[in-house]
Amino acid sequence: MKYELYYWPEIQGRGEYVRLALEEADAAYVDVARAAGGMAAMMRMMEASSGTPPFAPPFLKAGKLVIGQTANILFYLGGRHGLAPKAEGARLWVHQLQLTIADLVQEIHDTHHPLGSSLYYEDQKAAAKRRTEEFWKQRVPKFTGYFEGLLRDGGSAYLTGRRVTYVDLSLFQIVAGLRYAFPNRMGGFERKIPGLVGLHDRVAARPNIKAYLASERRIAFNEDGIFRHYKALDA
Ligand SMILES: N[C@@H](CCC(=O)N[C@@H](CS)C(=O)NCC(=O)O)C(=O)O
């Protein structure tokens, strides 16, 4: 079966967490909206009035299934491709961790869009500055400290043991994204999160991920995605 990933064609965004899992699994997939006519196909899927229409991208078509919500898609892929443990408790734990990452992703988005997604960054710059200060003072240490503690206590190569899960892939993306968006702040902060930095490097070195990152399939970070580099926010 060839998966169909539906996501905005010009950004990594939330679709990237799914792309990383598909790539690590070496799964056959098409990034639908990046192909000719793909955007229209994506819109049609969201406008569907029957079945299980998604509210927003990313969503994945897997045979007859249409699955929305990033963490939900990963829950599905993880079980099918050995990117999650098999036991129920452990699977739920990995899902719980992914949902926590989803919360963090939303807060990262809100640093540049604190007042609303439909407004331009330029229309909310002052609020973005305040939000970013708070984010880096309170939230980054709290979220990363949580994952750093789990890595330290687990004492393994990956967050839940010796085997990689989709959560590890997502944490790679968080570190890479924070480095892109906030090089100055992250430069000073990284010494506090040696476990996450090590995890980032281990994921980046995995053969399928390494090949993906060097390929054209990996869209470059840019100022339309979740991780945006605005100098004023990285002072
Ligand atoms: N909780 C959802 C959020 C999905 C989401 O916000 N998607 C964005 C792109 S990253 C979007 O297109 N949203 C449109 C909207 O909210 O109206 C997930 O994690 O997948």
Side-chain angles (χ1 to χ4, degrees), residues 11-30:
I11 58 170
Q12 295 182 6
R14 290 180 174 89
E16 198 62 16
Y17 303 93
V18 182
R19 293 191 185 106
L20 285 166
L22 290 166
E23 294 282 345
E24 170 61 26
D26 200 19
Y29 76 101
V30 34

Side-chain angles (χ1 to χ4, degrees), residues 15 22 25 31 33 35 51 70 74 79 86 93 98 104 125 127 152 158 162 179 191 213 222 226 235:
L22 290 166
D31 208 333
T70 309
L74 292 172
K86 286 198 166 49
W93 168 232
Q98 191 66 40
L104 171 58
K125 272 170 116 171
R152 193 178 49 240
Y158 295 108
R162 279 181 296 123
R179 280 180 177 170
R191 65 186 164 76
L213 296 176
N222 61 51
I226 302 277

Side-chain angles (χ1 to χ4, degrees), residues 78-159:
R80 285 178 62 95
H81 294 280
L83 288 174
K86 286 198 166 49
E88 187 182 40
R91 270 191 89 183
L92 285 171
W93 168 232
V94 166
H95 186 48
Q96 178 180 324
L97 292 169
Q98 191 66 40
L99 289 166
T100 305
I101 293 173
D103 292 343
L104 171 58
V105 169
Q106 186 60 46
E107 293 201 22
I108 293 164
H109 167 272
D110 291 351
T111 59
H112 49 79
H113 276 75
L115 301 183
S117 301
S118 62
L119 304 171
Y120 290 111
Y121 162 67
E122 285 69 23
D123 296 330
Q124 44 191 322
K125 272 170 116 171
K129 180 90 186 134
R130 280 192 73 184
R131 182 69 185 250
T132 303
E133 289 304 332
E134 193 272 348
F135 175 69
W136 271 93
K137 200 163 175 218
Q138 303 291 340
R139 305 301 284 169
V140 173
K142 187 165 181 181
F143 274 106
T144 59
Y146 173 70
F147 289 112
E148 188 70 22
L150 291 174
L151 275 167
R152 193 178 49 240
D153 296 348
S156 290
Y158 295 108
L159 197 63

Side-chain angles (χ1 to χ4, degrees), residues 166-179:
Y166 56 79
V167 163
D168 299 302
L169 307 179
S170 295
L171 287 173
F172 154 81
Q173 178 68 4
I174 294 290
V175 172
L178 288 176
R179 280 180 177 170

